[in-house]
Amino acid sequence: MELGASLRQKVLNDILPLVEKPGRYIGGEHNSVSKPWDSVSTRFLFAFPDVYDVGMSYLGLRVLYHLINQREDALCERAFAPWPDMEALMRSNGIPLYSLESFTPARRFDIIGFTLQYELNYTNVLNMLDLSNIPVRSSDRDESHPLIIAGGPVVYNPEPMADFIDAFVIGDGEEVINEILDMMASNDRSRDRLGLLKELAQIEGVYVPRFYDIRYSGLSVSSFSADAGVPDRIVPRRVRDLESVPFPDEVIVPLVDTVHDRAMVELFRGCTRGCRFCQAGIIYRPVRERRPETVRKHVLSQLDSTGYNEVSLMSLSSADYSSIEALIGSLAGDCDSRKVTVSLPSLRVDSFSIGLANRLQGLRKSSITFAPEAGTQRMRDVINKNVTEDDLMEAARAAFAHGWTTIKLYFMIGLPFETDEDVLGIAELAHKVIDQGRQVIRDAGGNPGRAKVHVSVASFVPKPHTPFQWVRQDSREEFERKIGLLRRSIRSRAIKLSWNDPDISLLEAALSRGDRRVGNVIEKAWSMGCRFDGWDELFEPEKWWDAFRSCEIDPEYIGTTDRDVSSTLPWDHISTGVSKSFLLAELRRAERGETTPDCRSDRCTGCGVCPSLEVSTVLSTGGTADA
Amino acid sequence: MPRVRIRMHKLGRYAYLSHLDMVRVLERAIRRAGLRLAYSQGFNPHPKISFGAPLAVGVTSTCEVADVEFDGSVSPDEIINKLNEQLPEGMKVDKAVLIDRRAKSLMSEIAAARYIIRMTLAGPELGQLEDSIKQLLDRDQLLLEKTRDGDVKVVDVRPYILDMKAMAGETLQIEACLRTGSKGNLRPDDLVTVMRQYGVLPPETIGVRIHRIELLVERDGRLVSAI
C-alpha cells in the first residue's frame, strides 16, 4: 500500500475517534489541491505552527498555496500544529506529522516552509520538526532532510530561530517563492546541502544564518562577519505593484469552523500612518493598493468558487483605501442579491469609518471596536496615533446613533514616556464614551442603560525595527501596578475592563528582541513541554523562566533594559528598507511629543523605504505620493 | 418556494464532521452550485436547511436527511446533479424529492433510525451473539444510567429498541432499529453501553463502528422511510 494511504487509514480509523475536533486533521476540503506526487520535481509543505482553525484563517497561506500549485513543476500541501491531545496519540502510535492533502509524512517533502506570525509559536515549530522525525537543529540535518525555510513578519529578527531554520525569507513572498522553486528545480540537491544553501543565499531576501558569525556583548552585537559570497545585509523583498502578482480565487473552504471563515481580498499592503509602536507599519511600507476593479473581480469570483456568504476586505487600515467608497458602492448590489455581507477589519477611529461600517453591516449590530491605544492626547502624540479625543467622541456618537450599543476600546499600557496620568486617562476616556452613549441613546428615546464599553488593555512590547526598539519594557511589577491603578479608577458598571497576562508580554519581548543565544532557551522550553504558548490555557510561564535560568539568560534584562542607540542591535543586518536614522529621529520626536504626518496625504517623511527598495506608494486613484 | 428533502451519505473522513459542519458544507455547496436558497426573515437571515436527527461525530451514514427550501423553481434531478458537482466523494446526494410545503418538519416527524454496529476486534461468536441478543430483548427492562447536567438518571431503554439482530458480514455486526426523536430516543453508542453492561459484548470488545442506514418517520401508526 502507498505510504500515504496506510497512514491515512490508521489516522482515520484508530486515532481520530479519540481526539477533540477531529475535523482539523482530515483534509478533503473544497478547492484543496492534490497533485500526483511524482508529477512534479519539488514538493513544498506549507507548515503553520498553530492549529488548523487559526492557520486556515491566514491570508498568506491562501496566496502561497495557490501560487505554488499553479506551477507545473511543484506542488504545495499543508500541515498544522496538532493540538496536544492529537500530538500525544500521534507520538504513542508512531504517526509522524503528515500533510492534509495526501497524508504524506512531512519528512518526504523537499521543502518545509513555516510562516512565523508570532513569537509564541516558536516552540510549535520545533515540535512540528520533531514530530516529522527531523532534527530540530539545522546543523544536525543532512541531504536526506527537507530544506526548512521560514518567512512572515517576525523573521525580521530571525536570530532567536536561527539555529533551527536553514533559510529565512524576508519580505513579500510572492516573487521570491518562485525564485526559490526555480533554483530547486535546477539544483541537484541530493548531493550537497551546503552548496544548496549557498546558492539559496544568493537570492535577494534570503538569509542563511549559518553563513554568519555573530558575537555579542551584553545586548548588542560585538562582532559580525559574513562568509565570502553572501550579503552583509539582507534586503527584504517588496512587490512593487500588487497588480502584477497573482491573487487566489479558488481558496480552500474549510469543513470545520475556523477563526476567520470567510472570503478575503487584500485591498492594499503597507500602512504609513506611522504609529511608533507598530512593526507592521514599518515592514510592509510603502502603501501599495490594488485597483478597485481588480478587488471587485476577486470578490465576486472568490464568492463563486467558495460559496462563502461573507467577504472581508483586508489591509492594515481598510478605511484608508483611497477608492473605498467607490468600491463599496460597486459591491453593494452584488452582495445584497447574494446575501453576502462585507466586512472591513481594523476600523479607523472616526465617523467616516462608522458610516462605512453602518452601510456594510446593515441591521446586524453587535459591537464595534476602536483602538485609540492611549488614554491622553500627550501619550497619543508620543506614539503618533493621530486620533484626537474629538475623533473618538464623534466616532462613538455616530456608532451609538447608528444603533451599536457596545463599543470595544483597545489600549496599551507600559508605553514609552508613560506617566500614571496617561494610565488614568484610559479610564477617563472610557467614562466619557459611556456618558456619550447614554446621552445619544436617551435622546433617541432608548434605554441609556444599554450603552456598554469594553476596555481591553495590552501590555506594550517594544518590537525590533520600530522607533521604540531601543526602549525598555515595563517590569511585571510595573504592569501589575498600572493595571491595579486602572481597575480602581473605573467606577461605572457599564465599563468592563480586561487585560492580558503580563507574563505573555514579557516573554514576547524577550523572544522578539532576543539574539541567537535565545535559541537555546526556545529548545529548552520546548523540551520541557512548552507548546502553544500564545494560548492562555496552555501557556506555562514558569517553565519558560526555568528554561531561561538554565541557559543563564535573563529575560527581564532583554526586555526591561534601555538599549544604546549607537550600538549594533541583533537584528540590524536585516533591513526593512526604513533607515535606522529615521527610527531614531522618530524616537526623539516621541520623546518631545511631536507627531509625524502620513506620507500618502502629506509630504515625504524621509523614512528611506522608497529609494532603498526602489518602490513607491501606489494609490488606486492613480497617484503616487512621491511622483 | 419549493421544499426539497435530500438524502446524503457521509463516509470515510467526513464522518468527523459535526451536524453544524454539515449544514455549512451543504449551504456553501448550494451557493457554489448557483442554486438559490431561501433564507429566514429577520436581523440575521439564515438558510432554510434542517437536518433530521444529528449524528455523533465519528459516525458514518448513508442516510443523512435534510429539508432544504429553495427560492424559485428547481427540480430534484437538477439539485442532485448540481450539488454532486460541488460535493466531495464521500459526501454526495443520493436522492432528492419535492415535498409539500405544509408538511410537518423533518425534526418533528422522525421516529426511528436504523444502524449497523460493527465490531472489528475481539467480538463474540455469531451464534453466541444471536443468543445473547435474544436474551437481552426478552428482558422487561434495560436500565441505562444517563448523566445530564451533572444529574444521574436511570432510564429504561428497552422500549426504545424496536428490533435488533446479529448478522454475519465481513466482520461481526448487529443491525438495530432505535427510537429517535421527541417520543423517546436511544443513541447507538448508548446501545453499545447497554450491550456491554448486560454482557452481550465482552468488555474488551474494541473497534466498535457505528453506521446509520435509515431514518424513519411515523405515518398512520406505521414506520416508513423518511425519504
Side-chain angles (χ1 to χ4, degrees):
Chain A
M1 202 188 301
E2 173 75 20
L3 184 56
S6 63
L7 187 64
R8 179 179 149 150
Q9 204 162 54
K10 187 158 184 194
V11 169
L12 291 182
N13 293 344
D14 304 340
I15 309 292
L16 294 189
L18 307 173
V19 303
E20 231 182 278
K21 301 196 183 179
R24 286 167 168 171
Y25 310 108
I26 61 176
E29 309 95 326
H30 183 73
N31 285 338
S32 60
V33 178
S34 295
K35 290 188 182 182
W37 189 260
D38 293 322
S39 68
V40 298
S41 59
T42 307
R43 296 99 180 171
F44 188 103
L45 182 67
F46 192 108
F48 196 99
D50 207 318
V51 273
Y52 177 89
D53 342 359
V54 174
M56 284 303 292
S57 306
Y58 168 57
L59 182 59
L61 187 160
R62 301 182 184 194
V63 171
L64 292 177
Y65 184 81
H66 175 76
L67 217 128
I68 299 170
N69 278 321
Q70 273 196 325
R71 288 177 67 110
E72 286 199 350
D73 63 349
L75 63 77
C76 181
E77 302 193 353
R78 295 161 296 149
F80 299 88
W83 197 250
D85 65 335
M86 179 66 172
E87 182 198 334
L89 284 163
M90 287 168 75
R91 289 190 184 278
S92 61
N93 287 275
I95 308 260
L97 186 74
Y98 60 86
S99 69
L100 291 184
E101 278 75 5
S102 61
F103 286 73
T104 302
R107 209 194 137 137
R108 293 190 59 207
F109 284 79
D110 301 297
I111 307 180
I112 300 180
F114 284 95
T115 179
L116 300 180
Q117 298 289 311
Y118 185 33
E119 294 84 356
L120 299 193
N121 285 336
Y122 286 165
T123 53
N124 280 2
V125 173
L126 272 61
N127 202 40
M128 287 170 80
L129 288 172
D130 187 60
L131 274 170
S132 308
N133 302 315
I134 295 171
V136 298
R137 286 191 173 262
S138 179
S139 55
D140 295 335
R141 298 195 284 261
D142 60 32
E143 286 75 10
S144 73
H145 297 109
L147 189 67
I148 309 300
I149 67 175
V154 307
V155 307
Y156 277 90
N157 176 15
E159 294 308 322
M161 289 295 281
D163 289 340
F164 315 113
I165 302 294
D166 299 326
F168 292 93
V169 183
I170 318 288
D172 293 340
E174 285 106 328
E175 294 166 340
V176 66
I177 194 71
N178 276 321
E179 291 164 29
I180 291 171
L181 292 170
D182 288 344
M183 193 278 290
M184 290 294 280
S186 63
N187 185 294
D188 179 8
R189 56 215 182 218
S190 59
R191 284 216 299 265
D192 172 15
R193 194 167 180 95
L194 217 53
L196 175 77
L197 290 171
K198 246 322 173 350
E199 207 178 323
L200 205 55
Q202 307 308 310
I203 298 175
E204 192 172 82
V206 175
Y207 172 61
V208 181
R210 72 170 66 188
F211 298 138
Y212 298 80
D213 184 38
I214 307 175
R215 305 284 164 86
Y216 304 98
S217 155
L219 292 174
S220 55
V221 174
S222 57
S223 89
F224 177 93
S225 71
D227 286 7
V230 299
D232 279 338
R233 195 168 152 79
I234 307 299
V235 177
R237 297 304 293 264
R238 212 57 49 94
V239 171
R240 246 173 238 141
D241 180 2
L242 295 189
E243 294 280 334
S244 71
V245 291
F247 190 81
D249 293 325
E250 284 93 39
V251 300
I252 298 174
V253 188
L255 295 160
V256 295
D257 204 11
T258 61
V259 179
H260 299 296
D261 195 9
R262 56 185 79 114
M264 289 178 200
V265 178
E266 185 190 30
L267 296 177
F268 63 91
R269 211 168 290 174
C271 173
T272 41
R273 299 197 139 240
C275 300
R276 291 178 179 130
F277 55 84
C278 178
Q279 193 191 45
I282 298 292
I283 64 176
Y284 299 112
R285 285 177 179 228
V287 168
R288 289 149 295 153
E289 294 188 343
R290 281 199 167 82
R291 286 201 286 270
E293 50 287 10
T294 315
V295 173
R296 183 185 141 84
K297 187 193 84 178
H298 287 303
V299 167
L300 298 180
S301 65
Q302 213 177 100
L303 291 171
D304 281 344
S305 75
T306 59
Y308 274 127
N309 58 7
E310 185 179 354
V311 59
S312 194
L313 302 175
M314 308 286 291
S315 75
L316 291 167
S317 176
S318 293
D320 285 348
Y321 180 57
S322 55
S323 307
I324 191 72
E325 295 213 89
L327 175 66
I328 299 297
S330 84
L331 284 173
D334 293 296
C335 289
D336 267 7
S337 69
R338 293 166 189 239
K339 300 267 194 301
V340 167
T341 54
V342 180
S343 59
L344 293 178
S346 37
L347 276 185
R348 240 162 41 190
V349 185
D350 57 26
S351 53
F352 173 77
S353 301
I354 300 302
L356 281 178
N358 185 52
R359 271 169 74 184
L360 296 174
Q361 296 208 344
L363 294 166
R364 255 162 87 182
K365 292 194 176 89
S366 43
S367 69
I368 194 157
T369 304
F370 299 120
E373 309 287 8
T376 60
Q377 193 58 50
R378 188 196 73 85
M379 198 65 232
R380 286 191 296 274
D381 289 346
V382 167
I383 61 175
N384 203 43
K385 180 84 191 184
N386 289 318
V387 169
T388 62
E389 191 172 311
D390 285 350
D391 292 334
L392 177 62
M393 286 307 138
E394 187 48 36
R397 195 201 55 73
F400 285 119
H402 281 306
W404 276 281
T405 52
T406 300
I407 292 187
K408 290 186 185 166
L409 298 176
Y410 285 5
F411 294 98
M412 278 184 279
I413 53 168
L415 287 161
F417 317 116
E418 183 181 67
T419 64
D420 284 357
E421 197 186 321
D422 299 310
V423 176
L424 295 170
I426 294 174
E428 262 176 63
L429 212 50
H431 283 104
K432 284 180 186 167
V433 171
I434 265 296
D435 291 344
Q436 171 85 299
R438 288 182 172 153
Q439 186 66 46
V440 171
I441 294 175
R442 190 180 299 117
D443 289 349
N447 171 12
R450 293 176 62 213
K452 297 269 183 290
V453 170
H454 291 181
V455 174
S456 173
V457 178
S459 309
F460 169 68
V461 179
K463 292 277 165 129
H465 301 292
T466 66
F468 293 157
Q469 63 179 350
W470 294 279
V471 177
R472 63 186 290 270
Q473 185 184 36
D474 269 350
S475 63
R476 179 185 293 107
E477 293 70 31
E478 249 329 74
F479 278 129
E480 282 167 356
R481 188 185 67 80
K482 287 175 179 174
I483 291 165
L485 208 58
L486 202 47
R487 288 177 68 179
R488 285 191 299 276
S489 59
I490 288 180
R491 302 172 306 273
S492 168
R493 297 181 70 177
I495 300 173
K496 201 182 99 188
L497 175 70
S498 59
W499 59 90
N500 74 338
D501 177 358
D503 271 322
I504 288 195
S505 302
L506 295 169
L507 177 60
E508 221 181 295
L511 294 180
S512 79
R513 293 207 297 182
D515 55 40
R516 206 173 278 200
R517 294 169 294 183
V518 170
N520 289 333
V521 181
I522 297 169
E523 187 175 5
K524 183 76 192 170
W526 164 71
S527 70
M528 290 165 72
C530 290
R531 311 271 187 279
F532 290 99
D533 303 297
W535 292 73
D536 283 345
E537 66 264 47
L538 296 177
F539 180 48
E540 296 181 273
E542 288 316 317
K543 281 192 182 164
W544 271 101
W545 309 141
D546 281 350
F548 273 102
R549 263 191 296 276
S550 76
C551 298
E552 294 174 0
I553 294 177
D554 179 1
E556 293 213 35
Y557 178 61
I558 302 177
T560 64
T561 310
D562 278 316
R563 300 191 182 212
D564 180 353
V565 294
S566 62
S567 68
T568 303
L569 298 168
W571 50 89
D572 273 356
H573 54 295
I574 308 294
S575 160
T576 62
V578 173
S579 70
K580 205 173 172 184
S581 57
F582 172 78
L583 296 180
L584 188 55
E586 280 293 288
L587 176 65
R588 297 296 178 227
R589 281 195 280 271
E591 216 168 341
R592 296 192 298 269
E594 291 171 19
T595 61
T596 300
D598 184 342
C599 68
R600 70 202 239 141
S601 54
D602 210 309
R603 62 179 194 283
C604 171
T605 56
C607 77
V609 77
C610 293
S612 71
L613 301 184
E614 295 172 37
V615 288
S616 56
T617 300
V618 180
L619 299 181
S620 58
T621 41
T624 56
D626 63 344
Chain B
M1 294 219 223
R3 185 163 146 198
V4 179
R5 182 161 295 179
I6 62 169
R7 191 183 72 212
M8 296 173 71
H9 57 255
K10 182 187 174 193
L11 300 173
R13 56 178 149 196
Y14 300 107
Y16 293 107
L17 300 190
S18 72
H19 174 241
L20 281 176
D21 296 334
M22 290 290 286
V23 173
R24 211 167 30 228
V25 166
L26 186 59
E27 179 190 354
R28 288 173 184 167
I30 291 170
R31 296 177 70 102
R32 289 197 298 270
L35 297 166
R36 292 173 61 92
L37 264 171
Y39 285 83
S40 65
Q41 303 293 311
F43 282 169
N44 194 357
H46 55 268
K48 295 196 172 176
I49 297 176
S50 63
F51 273 92
L55 277 177
V57 170
V59 177
T60 55
S61 169
T62 45
C63 194
E64 290 306 278
V65 180
D67 282 357
V68 183
E69 274 186 52
F70 291 91
D71 184 6
S73 78
V74 65
S75 77
D77 279 350
E78 187 188 359
I79 288 170
I80 294 176
N81 293 335
K82 286 191 168 171
L83 279 185
N84 285 346
E85 277 173 28
Q86 299 299 331
L87 289 167
E89 217 53 60
M91 217 177 357
K92 299 274 191 198
V93 177
D94 297 309
K95 192 174 176 185
V97 292
L98 279 166
I99 55 170
D100 191 326
R101 283 204 58 211
R102 288 154 305 180
K104 277 197 225 162
S105 78
L106 180 60
M107 275 297 209
S108 66
E109 246 193 333
I110 284 174
R114 189 175 293 280
Y115 299 92
I116 293 193
I117 299 163
R118 290 189 180 85
M119 288 139 292
T120 51
L121 286 163
E125 302 278 314
L126 179 62
Q128 193 191 336
L129 185 63
E130 281 171 337
D131 289 346
S132 54
I133 286 177
K134 196 171 167 304
Q135 283 165 23
L136 186 80
L137 295 179
D138 282 345
R139 287 174 181 264
D140 292 335
Q141 53 177 16
L142 293 169
L143 299 179
L144 174 73
E145 274 190 9
K146 299 210 72 163
T147 311
R148 186 175 286 175
D149 303 328
D151 291 336
V152 182
K153 216 172 89 181
V154 179
V155 195
D156 174 17
V157 300
R158 176 62 192 88
Y160 304 150
I161 304 174
L162 302 179
D163 65 54
M164 189 172 166
K165 61 173 190 276
M167 301 186 319
E170 239 175 84
T171 59
L172 200 55
Q173 54 190 47
I174 294 168
E175 188 182 311
C177 186
L178 306 178
R179 270 272 170 219
T180 304
S182 50
K183 291 185 206 154
N185 195 62
L186 178 59
R187 289 163 43 142
D189 48 328
D190 283 338
L191 177 66
V192 172
T193 307
V194 168
M195 287 194 289
R196 284 187 208 277
Q197 224 171 274
Y198 287 86
V200 179
L201 294 180
E204 66 273 16
T205 311
I206 54 167
V208 174
R209 302 235 168 84
I210 300 168
H211 177 73
R212 181 157 78 193
I213 53 171
E214 198 176 20
L215 265 185
L216 301 147
V217 297
E218 201 163 327
R219 297 244 170 86
D220 309 321
R222 285 177 48 236
L223 288 175
V224 295
S225 177
I227 177 164

